[in-house]
Amino acid sequence: MTLPPAENLPRTDWTREEIAELFDLPFDELMWEAQGVHRRHHARGEVQLCTLLSIKTGGCAEDCGYCSQSAHAETGLKATKLMDVRAVLQAAAEAKDAGSQRFCMGAAWRNPKDRDMPAIVEMIEGVRQMGMETCMTLGMLTKEQAQTLAVAGLDYYNHNVDTSPENYENIISTRTFQDRLDTLEEVRSAGINVCSGGIVGMGETRGDRVGFIHALATLPRHPESVPVNALVPVKGTVLGDMLADTPLAQIDEIEFVRTVAVARITMPLSMVRLSAGRESMSEATQALCFMAGANSIFTGDKLLTTGNRGDSADAALFAKLGIVPMVSEEPMRRDEALEAAE
């Protein structure tokens, strides 16, 4: 397959057939193409460090089959109230001291209540005052809520599409794929940067992986951040129980790397984040993901309710690979700032 010339990127008119052709490339050719795209747009050898904190855990009304925080799951997870603002800011300060550049806060809600917004705003403002980027994931948003977050200075809003439109109803029944897109549109319209990706290893087909990348790569503007997650099967969740002790319980690592590479090629300016599931990946697999164009990770020992590799393991891997924490500007935000200045 012949890729379009660099000056024509980024494209938003990718077809599913083109994306499927990328997946089908010989592995070395796919990696070559992905690395070329990455080097044209991103600093070499730099990876963005982010920290994710659950600011409200469990009791979510949604029935996402992968999520231990769903009220429909039987994981024994105890639901909590929204964290105190001071405790959140303390966690953010510790994350900054550990080298994180972005602080992400997640609440297990179908959608936030208006009564919770003042505390949310205070968290955003407090983290920004520390000099860190802010990201929130709070579920579906109204136009007014998105505007409130924008006025508070929120840098990113995370709302994953999870999987292909066709597979979505097999994973979640309490909302639709269009609901996801509607929230992304509210976020974009409010002037907040979009963070949206998907989860692989949920028993989906390659066609579904093509479909989830196609959904993001054909948005009017690509997400500034694209997390690629590997399912962490949690006992007591629908998918955790369904996939436990089966060959589907963990996606083939080469197929995972292919997914990262295709995301990089189709969304060349986006930060592609190697997200959930990294704690079970070998160092070699993670290295291949970085070669394929992943340039953002979550640090620390925990991602919401599941494990993560931890700062010391990441530092050791970075040292082996000659990778350093990112100091360059993110391409899409840099270009946006230049356009605003003209």
Side-chain angles (χ1 to χ4, degrees):
M1 176 183 182
T2 302
L3 294 176
E7 61 267 23
N8 292 337
L9 295 171
R11 290 177 50 190
T12 58
D13 62 348
W14 290 95
T15 67
R16 287 200 178 200
E17 290 73 22
E18 288 175 313
I19 296 173
E21 286 179 27
L22 290 174
F23 267 100
D24 288 340
L25 285 173
F27 187 71
D28 61 340
E29 185 175 346
L30 176 61
M31 293 290 283
W32 174 266
E33 297 286 4
Q35 183 63 202
V37 171
H38 184 78
R39 285 171 175 256
R40 283 198 294 271
H41 300 287
H42 298 267
R44 303 176 187 180
E46 291 186 5
V47 171
Q48 181 187 56
L49 303 182
C50 310
T51 296
L52 175 60
L53 175 70
S54 177
I55 60 173
K56 190 277 173 188
T57 303
C60 181
E62 303 281 18
D63 67 353
C64 307
Y66 53 79
C67 186
S68 63
Q69 300 197 69
S70 169
H72 301 262
E74 298 180 357
T75 61
L77 184 70
K78 183 179 179 181
T80 66
K81 296 181 179 179
L82 183 65
M83 283 180 65
D84 178 76
V85 173
R86 291 170 296 179
V88 172
L89 297 184
Q90 177 61 38
E94 293 172 359
K96 182 179 181 181
D97 289 343
S100 281
Q101 296 138 323
R102 184 185 301 174
F103 192 67
C104 307
M105 295 160 274
W109 286 323
R110 175 178 171 81
N111 51 273
K113 302 291 190 298
D114 288 340
R115 66 172 182 267
D116 296 312
M117 295 306 290
I120 294 295
V121 166
E122 194 174 347
M123 292 174 192
I124 294 168
E125 293 175 342
V127 175
R128 281 180 58 86
Q129 288 172 6
M130 297 178 193
M132 300 177 74
E133 290 184 345
T134 53
C135 181
M136 285 272 182
T137 179
L138 312 171
M140 295 184 289
L141 296 177
T142 65
K143 182 183 298 292
E144 293 73 22
Q145 288 172 336
Q147 291 172 344
T148 296
L149 296 176
V151 171
L154 183 66
D155 295 291
Y156 284 84
Y157 193 80
N158 169 259
H159 204 59
N160 292 336
V161 298
D162 292 335
T163 187
S164 69
E166 297 79 10
N167 191 43
Y168 196 82
E169 64 181 12
N170 297 323
I171 307 300
I172 304 163
S173 69
T174 49
R175 61 171 177 246
T176 66
F177 194 85
Q178 187 60 48
D179 289 333
R180 287 297 212 185
L181 297 182
D182 289 346
T183 287
L184 292 180
E185 177 57 31
E186 296 294 359
V187 169
R188 182 65 79 196
S189 296
I192 302 170
N193 295 297
V194 169
C195 174
S196 188
I199 306 170
V200 297
M202 297 191 293
E204 78 282 347
T205 65
R206 175 178 280 187
D208 292 317
R209 291 187 280 279
V210 168
F212 111 71
I213 289 180
H214 178 263
L216 297 175
T218 55
L219 289 173
R221 179 179 170 90
H222 294 161
E224 282 79 3
S225 182
V226 179
V228 181
N229 300 273
L231 177 71
V232 179
V234 178
K235 184 178 180 180
T237 63
V238 173
L239 289 175
D241 290 344
M242 183 185 303
L243 300 179
D245 303 320
T246 74
L248 295 175
Q250 186 173 3
I251 188 171
D252 176 80
E253 292 186 336
I254 296 299
E255 183 70 9
F256 185 88
V257 176
R258 283 184 179 275
T259 306
V260 170
V262 174
R264 167 51 67 219
I265 293 169
T266 55
M267 293 172 278
L269 298 179
S270 302
M271 302 295 293
V272 176
R273 180 179 299 132
L274 186 55
S275 296
R278 196 164 59 87
E279 77 284 354
S280 62
M281 294 179 191
S282 68
E283 290 187 338
T285 297
Q286 292 181 74
L288 285 173
C289 287
F290 295 137
M291 289 181 64
N295 60 343
S296 179
I297 62 169
F298 280 126
T299 63
D301 301 319
K302 195 174 186 180
L303 298 181
L304 296 179
T305 62
T306 59
N308 196 36
R309 284 180 56 84
D311 296 336
S312 59
D314 289 336
L317 178 59
F318 276 27
K320 286 183 181 181
L321 300 179
I323 289 173
V324 298
M326 190 181 78
V327 295
S328 305
E329 289 188 86
E330 300 156 38
M332 291 184 74
R333 299 192 67 186
R334 177 197 62 212
D335 293 353
E336 186 178 62
L338 290 174
E339 291 172 5
E342 292 178 351

